[in-house]
Amino acid sequence: MIQSMTGFGRGMYRDEEMNITIEIKAVNNRYAEIQVRSPRRYAFAEEHLRSAVKARLLRGKIEVSLRVDLFGTTDKSVEVNGAVAEEYYRAYRELADKLNLPEHQISLSMIASQEGVMTAVTKGEDEEAFLAKMDKALHEALDDIEAMRTAEGARLAADLLHRADVIEGIKDKIKERAPQLEKIYMEKLRARITELLGSPENISEDRLLLEAAVFADKANITEELVRLESHIAQLRAFLEGKEDTVGKKMDFLIQEMNRETNTIGSKSNDTEITSWMLDLKAEIEKIREQVQNIA
């Protein structure tokens, strides 16, 4: 089943310590381009996120957002440097002696407020434990976006299969008319010569047949029709198959269909077929635009 490249997914994990939310957004892109945004504290999780997403979503411009809300906890702890505190206390006592001040005026707040005595530091993170929790939210988000991409892919497949039917119908009309081109050309040539010479008796039938044969050889589009038929069958196989990542293959296939269509139009030299070619090219262009959204 084909998948669209566009989609959105959200996953959450919650316990008594934290709430983890992961959101994944994806839009069209020729290759896999993954951007991860996370709080600085959890930067260590970014490569893990990127690898997990890349394993599941093979094409698209993908944005992954990690948000963590902590409950009643802090990521800071306070460390006391006793040696520095003692040095400040010694210095204050020495200063108090010199100034004949009472020692009891040296307070704890005076010492604690000095640089280097008390320092707030970031607590170490248990990375393995956090990644285990985060994975639960991540897998939920990936399942969510894949479900959305699959549903959109089913709608795309239905539309493209309809357009494949339209293209095949046009191809069948061309295939039916192609054998008549030699006869049509010969009648036009006969009418033109009669108009110029004024009498059909002056027309060389052998020369007329030769000219018609030369035209028929140049205008032969059998091979192009066979290849176009094969491309239509391959397109259906992609759309009805179980392979998930066919976008690039389909893009190449549409280029080949367009090439065969151009050749048929240039070789046939027939107004009826040319008109059908315009319709055919319009349908192929619509398919090409849709294919750009397939993973």
Side-chain angles (χ1 to χ4, degrees), residues 210-245:
L210 178 61
E211 289 291 335
V214 170
F215 168 79
D217 184 60
K218 291 181 179 180
N220 190 311
I221 54 176
T222 302
E223 290 184 12
E224 287 77 13
L225 287 171
V226 169
R227 285 195 291 269
L228 182 58
E229 199 167 57
S230 173
H231 296 335
I232 296 170
Q234 185 63 60
L235 176 62
R236 284 202 177 95
F238 283 145
L239 294 170
E240 296 170 348
K242 295 182 179 180
E243 189 176 352
D244 290 334
T245 54

PDB file of all heavy atoms in Angstrom, residues 210-245:
ATOM      1  N   LEU A 210       3.699   3.880 -52.957  1.00  0.00           N
ATOM      2  CA  LEU A 210       5.049   4.004 -52.417  1.00  0.00           C
ATOM      3  C   LEU A 210       5.124   5.126 -51.387  1.00  0.00           C
ATOM      4  O   LEU A 210       5.702   4.955 -50.303  1.00  0.00           O
ATOM      5  CB  LEU A 210       6.048   4.250 -53.545  1.00  0.00           C
ATOM      6  CG  LEU A 210       7.511   4.449 -53.102  1.00  0.00           C
ATOM      7  CD1 LEU A 210       8.014   3.193 -52.392  1.00  0.00           C
ATOM      8  CD2 LEU A 210       8.391   4.787 -54.317  1.00  0.00           C
ATOM      9  N   GLU A 211       4.547   6.271 -51.723  1.00  0.00           N
ATOM     10  CA  GLU A 211       4.542   7.405 -50.809  1.00  0.00           C
ATOM     11  C   GLU A 211       3.804   7.051 -49.514  1.00  0.00           C
ATOM     12  O   GLU A 211       4.246   7.385 -48.410  1.00  0.00           O
ATOM     13  CB  GLU A 211       3.882   8.615 -51.473  1.00  0.00           C
ATOM     14  CG  GLU A 211       4.699   9.254 -52.574  1.00  0.00           C
ATOM     15  CD  GLU A 211       5.940   9.944 -52.032  1.00  0.00           C
ATOM     16  OE1 GLU A 211       5.944  10.338 -50.840  1.00  0.00           O
ATOM     17  OE2 GLU A 211       6.915  10.075 -52.783  1.00  0.00           O
ATOM     18  N   ALA A 212       2.682   6.338 -49.685  1.00  0.00           N
ATOM     19  CA  ALA A 212       1.902   5.949 -48.516  1.00  0.00           C
ATOM     20  C   ALA A 212       2.667   4.961 -47.647  1.00  0.00           C
ATOM     21  O   ALA A 212       2.613   5.019 -46.414  1.00  0.00           O
ATOM     22  CB  ALA A 212       0.569   5.339 -48.950  1.00  0.00           C
ATOM     23  N   ALA A 213       3.412   4.081 -48.274  1.00  0.00           N
ATOM     24  CA  ALA A 213       4.196   3.090 -47.540  1.00  0.00           C
ATOM     25  C   ALA A 213       5.326   3.764 -46.756  1.00  0.00           C
ATOM     26  O   ALA A 213       5.616   3.399 -45.613  1.00  0.00           O
ATOM     27  CB  ALA A 213       4.759   2.049 -48.501  1.00  0.00           C
ATOM     28  N   VAL A 214       5.973   4.747 -47.414  1.00  0.00           N
ATOM     29  CA  VAL A 214       7.049   5.486 -46.739  1.00  0.00           C
ATOM     30  C   VAL A 214       6.490   6.230 -45.530  1.00  0.00           C
ATOM     31  O   VAL A 214       7.075   6.233 -44.440  1.00  0.00           O
ATOM     32  CB  VAL A 214       7.725   6.471 -47.717  1.00  0.00           C
ATOM     33  CG1 VAL A 214       8.672   7.396 -46.964  1.00  0.00           C
ATOM     34  CG2 VAL A 214       8.464   5.710 -48.804  1.00  0.00           C
ATOM     35  N   PHE A 215       5.331   6.864 -45.721  1.00  0.00           N
ATOM     36  CA  PHE A 215       4.694   7.588 -44.619  1.00  0.00           C
ATOM     37  C   PHE A 215       4.338   6.635 -43.484  1.00  0.00           C
ATOM     38  O   PHE A 215       4.562   6.928 -42.302  1.00  0.00           O
ATOM     39  CB  PHE A 215       3.428   8.293 -45.115  1.00  0.00           C
ATOM     40  CG  PHE A 215       2.566   8.814 -44.008  1.00  0.00           C
ATOM     41  CD1 PHE A 215       2.880  10.005 -43.350  1.00  0.00           C
ATOM     42  CD2 PHE A 215       1.444   8.100 -43.589  1.00  0.00           C
ATOM     43  CE1 PHE A 215       2.091  10.465 -42.312  1.00  0.00           C
ATOM     44  CE2 PHE A 215       0.661   8.564 -42.553  1.00  0.00           C
ATOM     45  CZ  PHE A 215       0.983   9.748 -41.918  1.00  0.00           C
ATOM     46  N   ALA A 216       3.767   5.478 -43.840  1.00  0.00           N
ATOM     47  CA  ALA A 216       3.343   4.507 -42.829  1.00  0.00           C
ATOM     48  C   ALA A 216       4.531   4.032 -42.002  1.00  0.00           C
ATOM     49  O   ALA A 216       4.420   3.822 -40.789  1.00  0.00           O
ATOM     50  CB  ALA A 216       2.654   3.329 -43.492  1.00  0.00           C
ATOM     51  N   ASP A 217       5.678   3.875 -42.668  1.00  0.00           N
ATOM     52  CA  ASP A 217       6.873   3.430 -41.937  1.00  0.00           C
ATOM     53  C   ASP A 217       7.342   4.496 -40.951  1.00  0.00           C
ATOM     54  O   ASP A 217       7.699   4.185 -39.809  1.00  0.00           O
ATOM     55  CB  ASP A 217       7.987   3.110 -42.942  1.00  0.00           C
ATOM     56  CG  ASP A 217       9.216   2.546 -42.257  1.00  0.00           C
ATOM     57  OD1 ASP A 217       9.110   1.487 -41.615  1.00  0.00           O
ATOM     58  OD2 ASP A 217      10.292   3.172 -42.349  1.00  0.00           O
ATOM     59  N   LYS A 218       7.329   5.746 -41.410  1.00  0.00           N
ATOM     60  CA  LYS A 218       7.757   6.846 -40.522  1.00  0.00           C
ATOM     61  C   LYS A 218       6.775   7.069 -39.387  1.00  0.00           C
ATOM     62  O   LYS A 218       7.152   7.464 -38.289  1.00  0.00           O
ATOM     63  CB  LYS A 218       7.907   8.135 -41.338  1.00  0.00           C
ATOM     64  CG  LYS A 218       9.078   8.125 -42.308  1.00  0.00           C
ATOM     65  CD  LYS A 218       9.167   9.455 -43.043  1.00  0.00           C
ATOM     66  CE  LYS A 218      10.343   9.483 -44.004  1.00  0.00           C
ATOM     67  NZ  LYS A 218      10.432  10.778 -44.726  1.00  0.00           N
ATOM     68  N   ALA A 219       5.490   6.827 -39.660  1.00  0.00           N
ATOM     69  CA  ALA A 219       4.438   7.107 -38.685  1.00  0.00           C
ATOM     70  C   ALA A 219       4.085   5.891 -37.834  1.00  0.00           C
ATOM     71  O   ALA A 219       3.147   5.938 -37.048  1.00  0.00           O
ATOM     72  CB  ALA A 219       3.187   7.609 -39.411  1.00  0.00           C
ATOM     73  N   ASN A 220       4.855   4.825 -37.975  1.00  0.00           N
ATOM     74  CA  ASN A 220       4.554   3.605 -37.216  1.00  0.00           C
ATOM     75  C   ASN A 220       4.791   3.844 -35.716  1.00  0.00           C
ATOM     76  O   ASN A 220       5.897   4.166 -35.283  1.00  0.00           O
ATOM     77  CB  ASN A 220       5.438   2.458 -37.707  1.00  0.00           C
ATOM     78  CG  ASN A 220       4.992   1.122 -37.133  1.00  0.00           C
ATOM     79  OD1 ASN A 220       4.782   0.993 -35.950  1.00  0.00           O
ATOM     80  ND2 ASN A 220       4.839   0.142 -38.004  1.00  0.00           N
ATOM     81  N   ILE A 221       3.743   3.692 -34.934  1.00  0.00           N
ATOM     82  CA  ILE A 221       3.828   3.956 -33.492  1.00  0.00           C
ATOM     83  C   ILE A 221       3.540   2.686 -32.679  1.00  0.00           C
ATOM     84  O   ILE A 221       3.232   2.768 -31.487  1.00  0.00           O
ATOM     85  CB  ILE A 221       2.843   5.074 -33.087  1.00  0.00           C
ATOM     86  CG1 ILE A 221       1.416   4.734 -33.545  1.00  0.00           C
ATOM     87  CG2 ILE A 221       3.294   6.412 -33.643  1.00  0.00           C
ATOM     88  CD1 ILE A 221       0.368   5.741 -33.087  1.00  0.00           C
ATOM     89  N   THR A 222       3.687   1.551 -33.327  1.00  0.00           N
ATOM     90  CA  THR A 222       3.393   0.282 -32.644  1.00  0.00           C
ATOM     91  C   THR A 222       4.267   0.093 -31.406  1.00  0.00           C
ATOM     92  O   THR A 222       3.775  -0.251 -30.320  1.00  0.00           O
ATOM     93  CB  THR A 222       3.592  -0.901 -33.601  1.00  0.00           C
ATOM     94  OG1 THR A 222       2.738  -0.718 -34.745  1.00  0.00           O
ATOM     95  CG2 THR A 222       3.255  -2.211 -32.913  1.00  0.00           C
ATOM     96  N   GLU A 223       5.577   0.318 -31.557  1.00  0.00           N
ATOM     97  CA  GLU A 223       6.488   0.106 -30.432  1.00  0.00           C
ATOM     98  C   GLU A 223       6.175   1.057 -29.278  1.00  0.00           C
ATOM     99  O   GLU A 223       6.193   0.650 -28.107  1.00  0.00           O
ATOM    100  CB  GLU A 223       7.938   0.318 -30.882  1.00  0.00           C
ATOM    101  CG  GLU A 223       8.463  -0.764 -31.811  1.00  0.00           C
ATOM    102  CD  GLU A 223       9.935  -0.564 -32.138  1.00  0.00           C
ATOM    103  OE1 GLU A 223      10.571   0.281 -31.463  1.00  0.00           O
ATOM    104  OE2 GLU A 223      10.430  -1.238 -33.042  1.00  0.00           O
ATOM    105  N   GLU A 224       5.877   2.304 -29.611  1.00  0.00           N
ATOM    106  CA  GLU A 224       5.564   3.277 -28.562  1.00  0.00           C
ATOM    107  C   GLU A 224       4.286   2.891 -27.817  1.00  0.00           C
ATOM    108  O   GLU A 224       4.206   3.031 -26.587  1.00  0.00           O
ATOM    109  CB  GLU A 224       5.411   4.677 -29.171  1.00  0.00           C
ATOM    110  CG  GLU A 224       6.712   5.327 -29.600  1.00  0.00           C
ATOM    111  CD  GLU A 224       7.256   4.773 -30.926  1.00  0.00           C
ATOM    112  OE1 GLU A 224       6.479   4.065 -31.620  1.00  0.00           O
ATOM    113  OE2 GLU A 224       8.411   5.037 -31.246  1.00  0.00           O
ATOM    114  N   LEU A 225       3.285   2.393 -28.562  1.00  0.00           N
ATOM    115  CA  LEU A 225       2.037   1.975 -27.928  1.00  0.00           C
ATOM    116  C   LEU A 225       2.248   0.767 -27.021  1.00  0.00           C
ATOM    117  O   LEU A 225       1.657   0.679 -25.937  1.00  0.00           O
ATOM    118  CB  LEU A 225       0.984   1.657 -28.996  1.00  0.00           C
ATOM    119  CG  LEU A 225       0.393   2.866 -29.729  1.00  0.00           C
ATOM    120  CD1 LEU A 225      -0.463   2.407 -30.901  1.00  0.00           C
ATOM    121  CD2 LEU A 225      -0.437   3.722 -28.769  1.00  0.00           C
ATOM    122  N   VAL A 226       3.105  -0.158 -27.454  1.00  0.00           N
ATOM    123  CA  VAL A 226       3.409  -1.341 -26.635  1.00  0.00           C
ATOM    124  C   VAL A 226       4.098  -0.910 -25.335  1.00  0.00           C
ATOM    125  O   VAL A 226       3.766  -1.397 -24.245  1.00  0.00           O
ATOM    126  CB  VAL A 226       4.286  -2.337 -27.413  1.00  0.00           C
ATOM    127  CG1 VAL A 226       4.836  -3.423 -26.488  1.00  0.00           C
ATOM    128  CG2 VAL A 226       3.482  -2.974 -28.546  1.00  0.00           C
ATOM    129  N   ARG A 227       5.071   0.001 -25.457  1.00  0.00           N
ATOM    130  CA  ARG A 227       5.775   0.464 -24.260  1.00  0.00           C
ATOM    131  C   ARG A 227       4.834   1.242 -23.337  1.00  0.00           C
ATOM    132  O   ARG A 227       4.897   1.107 -22.102  1.00  0.00           O
ATOM    133  CB  ARG A 227       6.983   1.320 -24.644  1.00  0.00           C
ATOM    134  CG  ARG A 227       8.165   0.508 -25.167  1.00  0.00           C
ATOM    135  CD  ARG A 227       9.432   1.333 -25.196  1.00  0.00           C
ATOM    136  NE  ARG A 227       9.378   2.362 -26.203  1.00  0.00           N
ATOM    137  CZ  ARG A 227       9.816   2.210 -27.468  1.00  0.00           C
ATOM    138  NH1 ARG A 227      10.325   1.046 -27.845  1.00  0.00           N
ATOM    139  NH2 ARG A 227       9.748   3.201 -28.324  1.00  0.00           N
ATOM    140  N   LEU A 228       3.962   2.073 -23.922  1.00  0.00           N
ATOM    141  CA  LEU A 228       3.007   2.828 -23.113  1.00  0.00           C
ATOM    142  C   LEU A 228       2.072   1.873 -22.366  1.00  0.00           C
ATOM    143  O   LEU A 228       1.768   2.082 -21.187  1.00  0.00           O
ATOM    144  CB  LEU A 228       2.202   3.773 -23.999  1.00  0.00           C
ATOM    145  CG  LEU A 228       1.186   4.671 -23.283  1.00  0.00           C
ATOM    146  CD1 LEU A 228       1.869   5.544 -22.235  1.00  0.00           C
ATOM    147  CD2 LEU A 228       0.424   5.537 -24.286  1.00  0.00           C
ATOM    148  N   GLU A 229       1.649   0.832 -23.057  1.00  0.00           N
ATOM    149  CA  GLU A 229       0.789  -0.184 -22.435  1.00  0.00           C
ATOM    150  C   GLU A 229       1.495  -0.848 -21.257  1.00  0.00           C
ATOM    151  O   GLU A 229       0.908  -1.093 -20.201  1.00  0.00           O
ATOM    152  CB  GLU A 229       0.397  -1.224 -23.480  1.00  0.00           C
ATOM    153  CG  GLU A 229      -0.824  -2.049 -23.118  1.00  0.00           C
ATOM    154  CD  GLU A 229      -1.334  -2.822 -24.319  1.00  0.00           C
ATOM    155  OE1 GLU A 229      -0.537  -3.594 -24.900  1.00  0.00           O
ATOM    156  OE2 GLU A 229      -2.510  -2.657 -24.686  1.00  0.00           O
ATOM    157  N   SER A 230       2.787  -1.137 -21.453  1.00  0.00           N
ATOM    158  CA  SER A 230       3.584  -1.741 -20.381  1.00  0.00           C
ATOM    159  C   SER A 230       3.722  -0.793 -19.194  1.00  0.00           C
ATOM    160  O   SER A 230       3.632  -1.216 -18.026  1.00  0.00           O
ATOM    161  CB  SER A 230       4.971  -2.119 -20.917  1.00  0.00           C
ATOM    162  OG  SER A 230       5.811  -2.564 -19.877  1.00  0.00           O
ATOM    163  N   HIS A 231       3.925   0.499 -19.467  1.00  0.00           N
ATOM    164  CA  HIS A 231       4.058   1.487 -18.395  1.00  0.00           C
ATOM    165  C   HIS A 231       2.764   1.614 -17.588  1.00  0.00           C
ATOM    166  O   HIS A 231       2.801   1.748 -16.362  1.00  0.00           O
ATOM    167  CB  HIS A 231       4.435   2.854 -18.968  1.00  0.00           C
ATOM    168  CG  HIS A 231       5.775   2.885 -19.632  1.00  0.00           C
ATOM    169  ND1 HIS A 231       6.778   2.014 -19.315  1.00  0.00           N
ATOM    170  CD2 HIS A 231       6.275   3.706 -20.615  1.00  0.00           C
ATOM    171  CE1 HIS A 231       7.845   2.278 -20.055  1.00  0.00           C
ATOM    172  NE2 HIS A 231       7.566   3.295 -20.840  1.00  0.00           N
ATOM    173  N   ILE A 232       1.628   1.553 -18.284  1.00  0.00           N
ATOM    174  CA  ILE A 232       0.337   1.635 -17.586  1.00  0.00           C
ATOM    175  C   ILE A 232       0.163   0.432 -16.656  1.00  0.00           C
ATOM    176  O   ILE A 232      -0.287   0.572 -15.512  1.00  0.00           O
ATOM    177  CB  ILE A 232      -0.830   1.705 -18.602  1.00  0.00           C
ATOM    178  CG1 ILE A 232      -0.745   3.000 -19.425  1.00  0.00           C
ATOM    179  CG2 ILE A 232      -2.171   1.627 -17.884  1.00  0.00           C
ATOM    180  CD1 ILE A 232      -1.708   3.045 -20.601  1.00  0.00           C
ATOM    181  N   ALA A 233       0.544  -0.742 -17.146  1.00  0.00           N
ATOM    182  CA  ALA A 233       0.453  -1.950 -16.320  1.00  0.00           C
ATOM    183  C   ALA A 233       1.367  -1.843 -15.093  1.00  0.00           C
ATOM    184  O   ALA A 233       0.992  -2.242 -13.983  1.00  0.00           O
ATOM    185  CB  ALA A 233       0.816  -3.181 -17.152  1.00  0.00           C
ATOM    186  N   GLN A 234       2.574  -1.301 -15.290  1.00  0.00           N
ATOM    187  CA  GLN A 234       3.508  -1.138 -14.177  1.00  0.00           C
ATOM    188  C   GLN A 234       2.991  -0.128 -13.160  1.00  0.00           C
ATOM    189  O   GLN A 234       3.135  -0.316 -11.943  1.00  0.00           O
ATOM    190  CB  GLN A 234       4.870  -0.688 -14.712  1.00  0.00           C
ATOM    191  CG  GLN A 234       5.965  -0.596 -13.651  1.00  0.00           C
ATOM    192  CD  GLN A 234       6.274  -1.941 -13.033  1.00  0.00           C
ATOM    193  OE1 GLN A 234       6.671  -2.861 -13.726  1.00  0.00           O
ATOM    194  NE2 GLN A 234       6.086  -2.069 -11.729  1.00  0.00           N
ATOM    195  N   LEU A 235       2.362   0.934 -13.658  1.00  0.00           N
ATOM    196  CA  LEU A 235       1.773   1.938 -12.770  1.00  0.00           C
ATOM    197  C   LEU A 235       0.713   1.300 -11.881  1.00  0.00           C
ATOM    198  O   LEU A 235       0.682   1.531 -10.665  1.00  0.00           O
ATOM    199  CB  LEU A 235       1.167   3.075 -13.602  1.00  0.00           C
ATOM    200  CG  LEU A 235       0.434   4.172 -12.821  1.00  0.00           C
ATOM    201  CD1 LEU A 235       1.385   4.898 -11.875  1.00  0.00           C
ATOM    202  CD2 LEU A 235      -0.238   5.161 -13.777  1.00  0.00           C
ATOM    203  N   ARG A 236      -0.132   0.485 -12.468  1.00  0.00           N
ATOM    204  CA  ARG A 236      -1.169  -0.198 -11.680  1.00  0.00           C
ATOM    205  C   ARG A 236      -0.535  -1.145 -10.653  1.00  0.00           C
ATOM    206  O   ARG A 236      -1.019  -1.262  -9.526  1.00  0.00           O
ATOM    207  CB  ARG A 236      -2.102  -0.992 -12.609  1.00  0.00           C
ATOM    208  CG  ARG A 236      -3.109  -0.138 -13.362  1.00  0.00           C
ATOM    209  CD  ARG A 236      -4.296  -0.980 -13.792  1.00  0.00           C
ATOM    210  NE  ARG A 236      -5.313  -0.184 -14.454  1.00  0.00           N
ATOM    211  CZ  ARG A 236      -5.414  -0.031 -15.754  1.00  0.00           C
ATOM    212  NH1 ARG A 236      -4.535  -0.632 -16.538  1.00  0.00           N
ATOM    213  NH2 ARG A 236      -6.369   0.711 -16.275  1.00  0.00           N
ATOM    214  N   ALA A 237       0.532  -1.829 -11.070  1.00  0.00           N
ATOM    215  CA  ALA A 237       1.203  -2.757 -10.156  1.00  0.00           C
ATOM    216  C   ALA A 237       1.749  -2.014  -8.940  1.00  0.00           C
ATOM    217  O   ALA A 237       1.654  -2.506  -7.808  1.00  0.00           O
ATOM    218  CB  ALA A 237       2.328  -3.493 -10.884  1.00  0.00           C
ATOM    219  N   PHE A 238       2.315  -0.838  -9.158  1.00  0.00           N
ATOM    220  CA  PHE A 238       2.815  -0.032  -8.048  1.00  0.00           C
ATOM    221  C   PHE A 238       1.676   0.370  -7.113  1.00  0.00           C
ATOM    222  O   PHE A 238       1.797   0.306  -5.890  1.00  0.00           O
ATOM    223  CB  PHE A 238       3.511   1.225  -8.563  1.00  0.00           C
ATOM    224  CG  PHE A 238       4.893   0.999  -9.113  1.00  0.00           C
ATOM    225  CD1 PHE A 238       5.366   1.738 -10.184  1.00  0.00           C
ATOM    226  CD2 PHE A 238       5.724   0.044  -8.552  1.00  0.00           C
ATOM    227  CE1 PHE A 238       6.639   1.528 -10.687  1.00  0.00           C
ATOM    228  CE2 PHE A 238       7.006  -0.165  -9.040  1.00  0.00           C
ATOM    229  CZ  PHE A 238       7.458   0.573 -10.117  1.00  0.00           C
ATOM    230  N   LEU A 239       0.562   0.803  -7.703  1.00  0.00           N
ATOM    231  CA  LEU A 239      -0.550   1.329  -6.914  1.00  0.00           C
ATOM    232  C   LEU A 239      -1.298   0.235  -6.161  1.00  0.00           C
ATOM    233  O   LEU A 239      -1.849   0.479  -5.083  1.00  0.00           O
ATOM    234  CB  LEU A 239      -1.531   2.082  -7.828  1.00  0.00           C
ATOM    235  CG  LEU A 239      -0.990   3.356  -8.476  1.00  0.00           C
ATOM    236  CD1 LEU A 239      -1.948   3.874  -9.530  1.00  0.00           C
ATOM    237  CD2 LEU A 239      -0.731   4.422  -7.426  1.00  0.00           C
ATOM    238  N   GLU A 240      -1.319  -0.965  -6.706  1.00  0.00           N
ATOM    239  CA  GLU A 240      -2.067  -2.059  -6.092  1.00  0.00           C
ATOM    240  C   GLU A 240      -1.178  -3.000  -5.300  1.00  0.00           C
ATOM    241  O   GLU A 240      -1.673  -3.920  -4.634  1.00  0.00           O
ATOM    242  CB  GLU A 240      -2.801  -2.851  -7.181  1.00  0.00           C
ATOM    243  CG  GLU A 240      -3.866  -2.018  -7.898  1.00  0.00           C
ATOM    244  CD  GLU A 240      -4.426  -2.724  -9.129  1.00  0.00           C
ATOM    245  OE1 GLU A 240      -3.812  -3.738  -9.539  1.00  0.00           O
ATOM    246  OE2 GLU A 240      -5.470  -2.286  -9.650  1.00  0.00           O
ATOM    247  N   GLY A 241       0.162  -2.783  -5.340  1.00  0.00           N
ATOM    248  CA  GLY A 241       1.088  -3.672  -4.667  1.00  0.00           C
ATOM    249  C   GLY A 241       1.227  -3.356  -3.191  1.00  0.00           C
ATOM    250  O   GLY A 241       0.600  -2.451  -2.645  1.00  0.00           O
ATOM    251  N   LYS A 242       2.102  -4.123  -2.532  1.00  0.00           N
ATOM    252  CA  LYS A 242       2.308  -3.985  -1.092  1.00  0.00           C
ATOM    253  C   LYS A 242       3.554  -3.172  -0.756  1.00  0.00           C
ATOM    254  O   LYS A 242       3.841  -2.921   0.411  1.00  0.00           O
ATOM    255  CB  LYS A 242       2.413  -5.370  -0.461  1.00  0.00           C
ATOM    256  CG  LYS A 242       1.129  -6.186  -0.559  1.00  0.00           C
ATOM    257  CD  LYS A 242       1.273  -7.528   0.135  1.00  0.00           C
ATOM    258  CE  LYS A 242      -0.028  -8.317   0.048  1.00  0.00           C
ATOM    259  NZ  LYS A 242       0.093  -9.637   0.727  1.00  0.00           N
ATOM    260  N   GLU A 243       4.296  -2.776  -1.770  1.00  0.00           N
ATOM    261  CA  GLU A 243       5.516  -2.007  -1.511  1.00  0.00           C
ATOM    262  C   GLU A 243       5.156  -0.604  -1.053  1.00  0.00           C
ATOM    263  O   GLU A 243       4.322   0.070  -1.666  1.00  0.00           O
ATOM    264  CB  GLU A 243       6.376  -1.963  -2.777  1.00  0.00           C
ATOM    265  CG  GLU A 243       7.754  -1.384  -2.564  1.00  0.00           C
ATOM    266  CD  GLU A 243       8.611  -1.444  -3.825  1.00  0.00           C
ATOM    267  OE1 GLU A 243       8.180  -2.069  -4.802  1.00  0.00           O
ATOM    268  OE2 GLU A 243       9.705  -0.854  -3.808  1.00  0.00           O
ATOM    269  N   ASP A 244       5.793  -0.141   0.035  1.00  0.00           N
ATOM    270  CA  ASP A 244       5.454   1.165   0.614  1.00  0.00           C
ATOM    271  C   ASP A 244       6.188   2.326  -0.047  1.00  0.00           C
ATOM    272  O   ASP A 244       5.672   3.426  -0.123  1.00  0.00           O
ATOM    273  CB  ASP A 244       5.765   1.171   2.115  1.00  0.00           C
ATOM    274  CG  ASP A 244       4.808   0.284   2.891  1.00  0.00           C
ATOM    275  OD1 ASP A 244       3.684   0.092   2.404  1.00  0.00           O
ATOM    276  OD2 ASP A 244       5.193  -0.212   3.955  1.00  0.00           O
ATOM    277  N   THR A 245       7.406   2.112  -0.489  1.00  0.00           N
ATOM    278  CA  THR A 245       8.224   3.215  -0.994  1.00  0.00           C
ATOM    279  C   THR A 245       8.416   3.077  -2.501  1.00  0.00           C
ATOM    280  O   THR A 245       9.378   2.493  -2.970  1.00  0.00           O
ATOM    281  CB  THR A 245       9.589   3.238  -0.296  1.00  0.00           C
ATOM    282  OG1 THR A 245      10.199   1.944  -0.423  1.00  0.00           O
ATOM    283  CG2 THR A 245       9.426   3.541   1.181  1.00  0.00           C
TER     284      THR A 245
END
